[in-house]
Amino acid sequence: MNIDAGATLTALLTLFGIYGLIALSLNLEYGVAGIPNFGKALFVSIGAYTTGVTYTRLLPLLAGQEAVSPCGMTLSTALQLRTAIMRDLPGIGFVNFAVTIAIAMGVGAVVGCLMSYAALRLRQEWFLALVLLVGSEIVRIFVRGYEPIICASNGVSGIAQPFFFIRDARLNSIMFMLLILIMLLVVYVYVERLVRSPYGRLLRAVRENAEVAQAMGKNVAQIRAGVMAIGSAIAAAAGVLFALNVGFVSTNDYDVALTLDIWVMVVLGGLGNPRGALLGALLITLLDRFTGIAAIQLNRTGIALEFNYFRYILLGVILLLMLRFRPRGLLPERRHATLAYQALESQAAESTGDRG
Amino acid sequence: MYALMALGITLTVSVIKLPNFAHAEYITVGAYAALIASQQFPGNPLLIIVIAGTAGALAALIAHLTVFRALEKQRSSTYTLLLASFAVGLILRYSLFILADSTNLFDRRIQVSLQVLLREGSLIITNIFAWVVPTSLILVMLLSLLLNHTPIGRDMRAMANNLDLARIIGVRVERVKNWTWMLVGLLAGSSGALWGIYSSVSPLMGWFAILSVFAAAILGGMSSFTGTILGAYLVAFSENTVMQFLNFQLGVDFSFKPAVPFIIIILILLFRPQGLTGLFDFLRRGELRR
Amino acid sequence: MSALLQLRNIRKDFGGLRAVDDVSFEVERGKIVGLVGPNGSGKSTLIDVISGTIEPTMGQVIFDGRDITGKPPNTIFEYGLSRGFQEPGLFFQMTALDNTLLPVKNQRGERPTAAPWRRLWHAQEEKNALEAHNALARMEIAAQYDKLASDLSGGQMKLLEMARALMGSPTMMLLDEPTAGVAPKLAHNIFNHINALNKHFGITFLIVEHRLELLFEHVDAVIVMHMGSILAIDTPDAITSNAAVREVYLGD
Ligand SMILES: Nc1ncnc2c1ncn2[C@@H]1O[C@H](COP(=O)(O)OP(=O)(O)O)[C@@H](O)[C@H]1O
Ligand SMILES: [Mg+2]
């Protein structure tokens, strides 16, 4: 089998778009505001589980069809039903997609907000990291054991992306990729603007010294809740795309390993700099693809070595090297991000102009 | 079994001030060292446990010298150290995967010839049981002696109490840290061996257990020994007995079992961050922080 | 008119330790009042209680006619009571200008909903930037505006703290050892600034300070604390000749 360059590139950019979104959200939460969200997988999974629910329940409803339980005996009937709708009724597919994104972002925002209030009760700073990490696993175990959400450990398959109605597989995946990249661009511009605004300044102040920020009249708990809500909504939207991209919702995709991947991206790219998050996402996605391709090639030459192991070791080494030698990442946070500096510089220019 | 592992976490958190997730892998390293040793010297459990403890201690010391010490020097935040411990864990875990893959050592049980020592109705005591339980107890007792009656133990307690103060009164902090790490690794490694004797060895064993172990340490308040040991027993108890009860009474499925320690962690951190300490006066006896 | 700040029977216990014991006093509007006492006499604890950082075990704090006991620090700041920290409480990885801009109230650009749209806050931000620059200029550190706070000297840090506090347009400032670790000449300078702010803006001050001679030159009244309680409240001159105070301080 030859490697199809076009398809590889499409798949690569699609993944980059999804990881980029998640990395942007963590960059905002940890890089800018200093909240150690070690539960990133939870917020991504909220998007995915929402997808699992809407594509099996809401979709047939929107199409005016009889609801069929997606689990158990009627599993394959339900699968055929939703595949048929996505293929033949693109309008309904899009509506369902939009509704899914909206619900996911809403639920994500609410959960993110609530989790941030846990921090108020915690004594030591790293407890929050642990609570988020553990909370993420609890939800995963619960969803895995509780059938009504995504059929427990069986998961839900046949989750089609909105361009599925285009018969040409290549074209529809390119369209999906474009959709994701557009969303990435929108979110990037949004986060970049936040970082450069007085709001960004506020978040950085909370990161540096929450006690002093509070003494400067800032409601720290509310600010943290707000930024967690924004970050979690972005992550949940990315979770919807994640599920649509693999076409399958299963609890196994959203464990601590996903959280760690995102952390590596953000630490590698640059804390507090949205461009850094994108760079990190790109590099790690590329690394993934290359190790994947290399593994296939190696296996063909008969070396039976599990390449995945090297991937994780490599991630660990990258993380350690960055933390030790470039703790601010490849693209560090910019110091003069806000408009205030331009105001002062232009004033300075004017006054020298007046004298001249 | 959790007790030994959780004691290591308690020591790291209180003396080194680092929530170390790589602790999981020190356990696994010990288990693998024991597994390999058991193929060389079958029938000598003591030697096997000593080798495992040494391996764990070495892993912990090397990780400290190469990674954590440098990061602490550059005054990294707790989150940075936490991330670094994840990274160390990843590297160790998947190196063990490669080792296990190339030598075909997956899901193996450490072979110690099995003899039944005593059979009383349904109560069966084998030589395994006879090894595991006393070894754990002896280790805990040695640890307690070490902490309460040796200079190095006194220094560790001083550091747990107040790091700056300890430095001022002349504790050689770096040296004590090295010793603490070795001790922590020794505990982790030998508990890995015991666990491998008891059930089986795989590269993921430590990782799967680590959050239960944290739960035990947190339940124990992360400052006292007796509390930690009690916490470990409570976690083990609630994972098994309480889960069984929930299953019978409320029909809660066993697939939820892994969530039990996690729920413990969250409840304790949110509502009783000091854990069990202070609940009973006798718990104060083994306290690191007074 | 009643006093700007009133403390009524404040007590604070840390476990078994009574750090502040039944303290009551008033600070009149527009005055500069010194708070002195040996180490550990409870001055910082009292500042923490007034600013809302910690809750008192007992007692009431009234500011500007409002009961602020147990209110969170951000609310108390909103009411116009601003505090400095004994260790410089700056945002060290942020520039002097960003530090100074932070406490400005009602910034539209600080709302996440408005932040992405520059035109909603751009005019306000420019105005604030110029004001911040003026505040820095007033403290003679305008040239350092784009330096990181961590790169400033100890004295400049103290000045930056005051410039920053000024941007919150406070009615009253609490300062905890504003000249700690500062060269004597600069210490004078800092007190001159305090005086100027008092004259210009009518800001009331409560100042914890160990350099008594310097402090006494500038204050209207002095409160002496000892082991958590008030030993004396009087004018600087009277305090200097107060026998009980001399005993605590000089052991005679
Ligand atoms: N958070 C705290 N916990 C326990 N004791 C405290 C705490 N803060 C201050 N103290 C104690 O309260 C007393 C008063 O301290 P402080 O207000 O800092 O004094 P000052 O500022 O006058 O030197 C001291 O004995 C100090 O040890
Ligand atoms: Mg003080």
Side-chain angles (χ1 to χ4, degrees), chain A residues 30 34 36 38 118 121-123 125-127 129-131 133-135 137-138 141-142 144-146 256 260 263 267 306 308-310 312-313 315-317 319-320 323-325 327, chain B residues 13 19 21 67 70-71 74 77-80 82-84 86-88 90-91 94-95 97-98 101 106 207 211 214 218 222 255-256 258-259 262-263 265-266 269-271 273-274:
Chain A
Y30 180 68
F38 276 93
R121 297 194 60 104
L122 298 175
R123 277 228 193 134
E125 50 174 13
W126 64 274
F127 285 180
L130 193 62
V131 164
L133 182 84
V134 163
E137 282 294 289
I138 291 179
I141 292 166
F142 176 75
R144 197 176 59 195
Y146 183 67
V256 182
L260 275 183
W263 272 88
V267 170
E306 186 57 71
N308 229 349
Y309 303 156
F310 286 103
Y312 283 114
I313 293 176
L315 284 187
V317 171
L319 200 49
L320 288 183
L323 293 175
R324 174 73 182 84
F325 298 105
Chain B
V13 169
F21 276 84
V67 178
L71 288 176
Q74 68 190 44
S77 72
T78 316
Y79 305 137
T80 302
L82 190 72
L83 261 183
F86 271 115
V88 169
L90 273 182
I91 295 172
Y94 287 96
S95 303
F97 259 113
I98 292 172
D101 232 16
F106 270 107
W207 177 244
L211 286 173
F214 261 104
I218 287 169
M222 285 186 294
S255 58
F256 293 120
F262 303 163
I263 292 171
I265 291 183
I266 292 207
L269 287 184
L270 285 179
F271 300 106
Q274 71 274 42

Side-chain angles (χ1 to χ4, degrees), chain C residues 12-15 17-20 35-48 54 86 176-177 208 210 225 227-228:
Chain C
K12 178 67 198 177
D13 294 337
F14 291 115
L17 183 104
R18 183 153 297 175
V20 175
L35 179 60
V36 303
N39 265 329
S41 56
K43 306 177 301 284
S44 295
T45 307
L46 200 57
I47 297 280
D48 281 346
I54 57 180
Q86 188 168 355
D176 200 351
E177 308 203 10
V208 175
H210 278 304
M225 280 184 79
M227 296 180 36

